[in-house]
Amino acid sequence: RPAPAADPVDALVRHAAHDGVAHLTLNRPDALNALTWDMRERLIAHLADAAADPGVRAVVLTATGKGFCAGADPVPTCAAHRPPGTGSPATSPG
């Protein structure tokens, strides 16, 4: 049986832990590491995991490419991750 496919968001928010330090890396250099909703949720989950792990003493947040983070990507990657109250593109005001 084939191995389950890797979650594509894992490639955009990489994580590792070494010697009590959690390393989180934004990996979307083509968009200056702008955060999608999926990336935001994954980053929050990794930070919560680090906070709950007594072996983690520090978190280092870095990014690939020339820009650390251009902010939020205004285009949601899927309907399930749209901010509350935004509706679908067809029904949103404006």
Side-chain angles (χ1 to χ4, degrees):
R1 174 162 90 173
D7 187 332
V9 180
D10 286 336
L12 300 177
V13 180
R14 296 186 291 188
H15 70 316
H18 306 288
D19 298 324
V21 179
H23 298 268
L24 303 175
T25 304
L26 303 177
N27 186 33
R28 194 173 172 227
D30 56 318
L32 297 175
N33 297 304
L35 292 174
T36 64
W37 282 100
D38 291 336
M39 289 173 66
R40 175 186 172 274
E41 294 300 314
R42 188 60 49 91
L43 187 59
I44 289 169
H46 287 315
L47 290 170
D49 289 346
D53 184 344
V56 174
R57 299 181 319 273
V59 175
V60 175
L61 179 60
T62 61
T64 58
K66 65 181 181 177
F68 173 69
C69 182
D73 189 332
V75 179
T77 55
C78 74
H81 289 96
R82 285 194 180 100
T86 60
S88 69
T91 61
S92 293

